[in-house]
Amino acid sequence: QVQLVESGGGLVQAGGSLRVSCAASGRTFNNYIVGWFRQAPGKEREFVGAIRWSGGTTYYADSLKGRFTISRDNARNTVYLQMNSLKPEDTAVYYCAAGTGTNPKGKYDYWGQGTQVTVSS
């Protein structure tokens, strides 16, 4: 059973940084892509970025390039989302997802439960 567990969310002041984690278990993820999405209250889910487990190629939403960085730790089976220069509009529930598709913004097979990130002004 594949399981994705996010952690590391919390409250941070504008301009601060936060790193959220996505711990994956239940299978090997060599052929998978792991994506990060976020959903703010009253808004649609939004693609944040993704990383290919094999090779580590990363993809980002254009609006977040330069502030957000995705990385992975193969030994820990964990993907990280480092968020810098946070803004109040970054407030959302952040989800990680895993899938075998070729489109980083496409369909994902497995989803985590989400972690809340709140940025105060």
Side-chain angles (χ1 to χ4, degrees):
Q1 182 76 9
V2 173
Q3 192 172 20
L4 302 174
V5 179
E6 300 96 334
S7 62
L11 175 64
V12 63
Q13 288 189 328
S17 299
L18 199 63
R19 188 180 76 166
V20 292
S21 304
C22 173
S25 62
R27 64 164 300 131
T28 57
F29 290 88
N30 288 340
N31 296 324
Y32 276 69
I33 185 168
V34 176
W36 284 98
F37 294 79
R38 67 184 185 183
Q39 188 165 22
K43 294 188 177 181
E44 292 189 354
R45 188 172 62 197
E46 175 187 19
F47 173 76
V48 172
I51 185 168
R52 293 198 180 277
W53 202 279
S54 177
T57 301
T58 52
Y59 310 85
Y60 297 97
D62 288 342
S63 61
L64 300 175
K65 283 180 183 176
R67 292 197 301 123
F68 287 16
T69 303
I70 298 173
S71 62
R72 77 201 189 295
D73 183 331
N74 289 344
R76 297 178 184 270
N77 243 26
T78 299
V79 172
Y80 302 101
L81 174 64
Q82 176 69 42
M83 301 179 286
N84 299 326
S85 302
L86 283 162
K87 306 174 182 179
E89 50 264 42
D90 294 318
T91 295
V93 177
Y94 284 72
Y95 299 91
C96 67
T100 57
T102 57
N103 182 358
K105 299 181 182 180
K107 180 181 178 297
Y108 285 80
D109 302 308
Y110 307 102
W111 290 82
Q113 83 289 348
T115 186
Q116 176 71 46
V117 172
T118 303
V119 184
S120 63
S121 57

